[in-house]
Amino acid sequence: QRTSEREALLKARFGSVILDEAHKARRKGGVGPEKHHPNNLLEFMRQIGPRTRHLLLGTATPIQTEVYELWDLMSILASGAEFVHGRPHLGDWANWERALPRVKGEECPRDHKEAWEWLRNPLPPAAEHHLIAQLREGLRLESRTFFCDRGYADLAYLDQEALAEATYPGFFAEHNPVVRHTVLRKRRALEEAGLLEKIDVSIHPMEGRTYEGVAFNGLGLLTNHAFDVAYEHVERFTEALGKRQKGVGFLRSLMLQRICSSFASGISTAKKMLAHDEVDPDDEDSAVLKEVSSDLTPDERSFLEVVVAELSRPEARDPKLQALLAMLLHNRTEGKTWLEHGCIVFSQYYDTASWVASQLASALPGEPVAVYAGVGKSRLYDGPESSSVEREAIKAAVKHREIRLVVATDAACEGLNLQTLGTLINVDLPWNPSRLEQRLGRIKRFGQARRSVDMLNLVYQGTRDQVVYQALSRRLRDAFDLFGSLPDTIEDDWIESVEALEAELDRYRHLRDEARNAFELKYSGSADPHENRWELCSRVLSRADVTERMSRPW
C-alpha cells in the first residue's frame, strides 16, 4: 500500500533486500483495462531494485498461471542492473514473447548477425562459455561490462565465424538471462541429492480398486438425476449466451468448474448471477459473473433457475460428501484411517469449503473442523456451532495436533506448512496442474512423518472435470519443472473429448522433452548435502567474516 513506511523505504539505500513469496509481486489480473498493470508490490519492488546492491527473490511458484509472471519477477532483478536483461529498448530479452522460444530452445538465430544481437545485450560473463570468453578478449571488454555497442560488421573475422556456435540448437536455451539469474531446486533433485527425504504420493482413486462406501465408476463418482439435469442446463445457459456474445469459452469453463465443485457451489453460483450480486474481492471469478449477469435474457434466467431448483431438491444428495466421510472413516493405509492420519480437504471455492466443513462437523460430533480461507473467512466448526478464527490460530492448532481435519480454499496454497497431516483430498479439480502441485506441497514437505502420503481427487462422472482428470491422472506423478511438463491451464476448446485433450497434453510433453533442461545442466551436481553444514560449525563468524562471505560473487 502507499503508506508513509513505503515512502520512507523508497528514500533509503540497501545492501541486501530479500523478498519471500515473490510471486505475489505480479500484475493485477482480473478484468478491465488495468488487469496488466503491476500491483503495488511489483511496482514497489521495481523501485527498490536500483536502490539495493544485492537482491534475492524467493518463490516456489514463479509461474502461477502465465509464463510472463516469471519475466515480471526478472524485471525486478533488472531494475537498475543492465546485466540482467541488457540495456532497455536495445534488445529483446525483456520481451517474454520474443525471448521465450529462445529460452525453451524452440527457435535459433537465423544467422551469425542475429546471434550477435541476442548475445551482446547483455553480454554474459566470460566464465559462462568459451565463445563468450573469446569475444570479450577480442573486444577487450572488462568483466563488469555487459553491453557491447559494436555491431556485427565491426567484429573481427574470426569472432564473426566463431558466432556460428551461437546459432546451434540449444545454445541460447543454456545461455540466457532466465537460466543465468534463476537457481532452480526441484524437489526431486533435492531428494536425489540427499537434501530432502523422499516422500512418495499414492494417488486415489486407483483403477480397478474398490473403496468401502464410495461409488466410483472408473475415476468418477456416480451422480444422480437432479445433478445431471442441472449440469445440462448450465451447458444450455452458456450455449444461449454464446449466441449473442462472443468469447464465452472462458465463462463456460468457469460455470462448469463451479457446478463440478459441489452442489452447494452450483446453487450459489446460479443464485449470485440471478441476483446480480456485488463483486466479492476474495472470489477471482465474481467480477466476470457480475458482468455477464447484468443483462440476462428470460431464457438464460430460466436455465439458471432450473439449476437452483434441481440441486435444491431433498433427494439431490451430493455424492462427494459420502465419498469424503467414507475415505476419512473407513479406508485405511498403514493401519490407520485417513482421519487418524490427519487430512486437508481442498476446494477452489469458499462456497464448497464452507459447505464441506459444516457437513463434516455435523457428521463427526466432537471432531473440530477448521476452514482455512481468505482474510476474515476462516472458521472453526464444532458440531452445529461455528465461530470466526484467525488463520494463525488454525496453523498453531494443526501444528500441535489439536486439529486434524482442515478444509481449505486455495488461499492455503502459499506459506502454510501442514506436515502433521498425512492425507489430502481435492474435493474439486482446478484446471491448472501446477495448482494441484501447490496443494500437495502443503503436506509433502520437510517434517512429514509419513514416507508416502495419500491424495484423493473427486470428480463427477460424465462431466468436463472427469475428462480433464482422466487425461491428467497418469501424468500427476511427474514433477513439474519451470515451464512444466503440462500447460499452465487447460483451455476450454481442448475438452471436446478425452482424445483431443490427450493429444494437446502429449504435444506439450513432446515439446518439453525436445528442449534440453538448461537448469539441470547448470545446477545438477552442485549441491552437496554434506558441504557447509553450519550446525556443525565450532567457530562463530565475526562481522568481518560475514561481510567477506556475503561480498563474494555468485
Side-chain angles (χ1 to χ4, degrees):
Q1 302 295 325
R2 298 183 180 279
T3 62
S4 57
E5 290 84 356
R6 168 194 169 109
E7 299 307 314
L9 289 172
L10 290 176
K11 292 177 182 177
R13 305 195 72 84
F14 304 92
S16 298
V17 171
I18 300 174
L19 176 65
D20 196 15
E21 304 290 354
H23 53 271
K24 293 182 179 179
R26 57 188 305 190
R27 306 185 195 190
K28 293 180 178 178
V31 295
E34 293 191 353
K35 65 179 180 179
H36 289 300
H37 290 187
N39 65 13
N40 288 339
L41 182 57
L42 178 56
E43 181 185 0
F44 172 77
M45 289 304 299
R46 284 175 175 173
Q47 295 178 66
I48 279 288
R51 311 189 68 81
T52 182
R53 184 179 178 188
H54 303 292
L55 183 59
L56 180 64
L57 308 178
T59 173
T61 53
I63 298 172
Q64 292 194 300
T65 56
E66 301 288 347
V67 172
Y68 65 68
E69 293 173 332
L70 174 60
W71 262 257
D72 288 343
L73 294 180
M74 294 291 293
S75 73
I76 299 173
L77 297 179
S79 304
E82 69 179 22
F83 57 80
V84 178
H85 280 153
R87 292 190 178 179
H89 314 301
L90 296 178
D92 285 321
W93 286 115
N95 183 328
W96 75 272
E97 292 176 299
R98 290 289 309 279
L100 184 60
R102 295 278 189 273
V103 173
K104 297 181 74 173
E106 296 173 353
E107 291 183 6
C108 304
R110 292 165 296 183
D111 51 35
H112 298 188
K113 182 178 180 180
E114 184 180 344
W116 176 240
E117 291 304 313
W118 282 94
L119 197 58
R120 72 185 182 123
N121 182 39
L123 190 63
E128 188 168 300
H129 192 272
H130 63 83
L131 168 61
I132 301 164
Q134 174 183 330
L135 292 169
R136 280 186 171 274
E137 183 177 355
L139 295 166
R140 300 183 183 279
L141 293 176
E142 296 180 356
S143 61
R144 298 192 65 80
T145 299
F146 302 100
F147 174 78
C148 182
D149 56 6
R150 294 174 64 174
Y152 175 76
D154 296 327
L155 298 179
Y157 173 76
L158 290 178
D159 289 340
Q160 290 180 344
E161 289 300 299
L163 283 167
E165 191 164 359
T167 65
Y168 296 158
F171 180 87
F172 281 106
E174 297 177 28
H175 305 286
N176 63 72
V178 176
V179 172
R180 195 172 299 128
H181 299 286
T182 303
V183 178
L184 177 65
R185 286 287 184 237
K186 294 187 289 185
R187 183 178 186 96
R188 178 179 294 179
L190 294 173
E191 289 173 347
E192 291 173 352
L195 292 165
L196 282 179
E197 191 167 356
K198 187 175 182 181
I199 301 174
D200 294 323
V201 181
S202 296
I203 300 176
H204 307 269
M206 298 179 181
E207 290 278 11
R209 175 174 168 178
T210 59
Y211 295 85
E212 183 181 347
V214 188
F216 284 116
N217 184 10
L219 297 177
L221 288 168
L222 292 173
T223 56
N224 47 46
H225 179 70
F227 175 82
D228 295 341
V229 172
Y231 187 84
E232 176 190 350
H233 278 75
V234 167
E235 291 197 310
R236 292 176 66 181
F237 169 79
T238 56
E239 288 171 6
L241 199 65
K243 292 178 181 178
R244 64 183 184 86
Q245 291 188 18
K246 294 182 179 180
V248 297
F250 172 73
L251 176 69
R252 185 187 189 196
S253 297
L254 184 155
M255 293 286 291
L256 291 176
Q257 285 185 79
R258 294 179 83 100
I259 193 173
C260 286
S261 173
S262 68
F263 289 18
S265 176
I267 293 171
S268 175
T269 300
K271 284 184 174 180
K272 287 176 181 177
M273 296 190 72
L274 288 168
H276 192 50
D277 270 4
E278 293 300 316
V279 173
D280 180 353
D282 292 327
D283 185 346
E284 59 188 23
D285 300 330
S286 65
V288 176
L289 296 175
K290 180 176 174 61
E291 182 180 348
V292 170
S293 63
S294 60
D295 58 347
L296 297 178
T297 66
D299 281 347
E300 291 161 2
R301 293 186 66 87
S302 69
F303 294 143
L304 294 177
E305 288 166 353
V306 170
V307 172
V308 175
E310 289 295 327
L311 295 181
S312 299
R313 293 180 181 275
E315 63 270 25
R317 296 183 180 89
D318 194 329
K320 288 188 177 182
L321 177 61
Q322 181 181 350
L324 283 166
L325 289 169
M327 293 301 297
L328 288 170
L329 298 176
H330 305 305
N331 286 275
R332 294 175 175 270
T333 55
E334 300 174 8
K336 291 183 178 180
T337 65
W338 284 35
L339 181 58
E340 288 170 335
H341 282 301
C343 184
I344 180 168
V345 181
F346 266 111
S347 172
Q348 299 180 83
Y349 308 112
Y350 182 77
D351 295 328
T352 296
S354 178
W355 170 78
V356 166
S358 64
Q359 294 298 308
L360 290 179
S362 297
L364 303 171
E367 184 73 41
V369 182
V371 175
Y372 190 95
V375 177
K377 290 189 173 182
S378 296
R379 301 192 69 79
L380 184 62
Y381 285 82
D382 188 359
E385 305 296 327
S386 72
S387 58
S388 179
V389 65
E390 294 295 327
R391 290 189 291 187
E392 291 301 319
I394 295 176
K395 292 181 185 180
V398 173
K399 180 179 180 181
H400 294 105
R401 304 182 188 276
E402 297 165 358
I403 292 177
R404 57 181 182 174
L405 187 52
V406 178
V407 183
T409 65
D410 285 312
C413 273
E414 301 169 0
L416 182 62
N417 302 329
L418 296 176
Q419 58 267 51
T420 57
L421 306 179
T423 62
L424 182 150
I425 299 175
N426 293 305
V427 77
D428 53 35
L429 185 73
W431 294 3
N432 179 331
S434 60
R435 185 165 289 183
L436 279 175
E437 184 72 5
Q438 291 172 357
R439 291 179 176 184
L440 185 57
R442 298 313 96 206
I443 63 172
K444 188 183 176 183
R445 59 195 310 114
F446 183 75
Q448 173 57 249
R450 301 187 68 195
R451 299 283 63 82
S452 178
V453 296
D454 293 286
M455 178 170 74
L456 170 70
N457 301 301
L458 296 178
V459 296
Y460 298 127
Q461 181 192 23
T463 62
R464 294 298 178 95
D465 258 17
Q466 187 184 25
V467 172
V468 174
Y469 185 45
Q470 187 170 331
L472 290 181
S473 59
R474 65 184 176 88
R475 297 168 169 87
L476 286 178
R477 285 183 168 82
D478 295 338
F480 300 116
D481 62 25
L482 192 64
F483 296 111
S485 299
L486 294 168
D488 295 312
T489 55
I490 306 298
E491 300 295 336
D492 179 67
D493 57 3
W494 297 358
I495 316 175
E496 295 306 319
S497 68
V498 174
E499 292 76 15
L501 181 55
E502 291 273 5
E504 287 291 346
L505 295 179
D506 286 340
R507 182 177 69 87
Y508 265 82
R509 177 177 290 278
H510 176 68
L511 291 174
R512 189 64 198 92
D513 289 345
E514 280 188 338
R516 299 181 68 189
N517 192 330
F519 291 96
E520 290 186 355
L521 290 171
K522 186 177 180 75
Y523 296 112
S524 62
S526 64
D528 183 352
H530 303 295
E531 183 182 13
N532 296 330
R533 294 187 61 185
W534 300 107
E535 74 274 17
L536 301 180
C537 285
S538 59
R539 183 169 66 91
V540 177
L541 296 178
S542 69
R543 183 172 183 82
D545 292 326
V546 173
T547 301
E548 189 274 332
R549 284 275 180 179
M550 295 296 288
S551 297
R552 291 182 185 179
W554 287 13

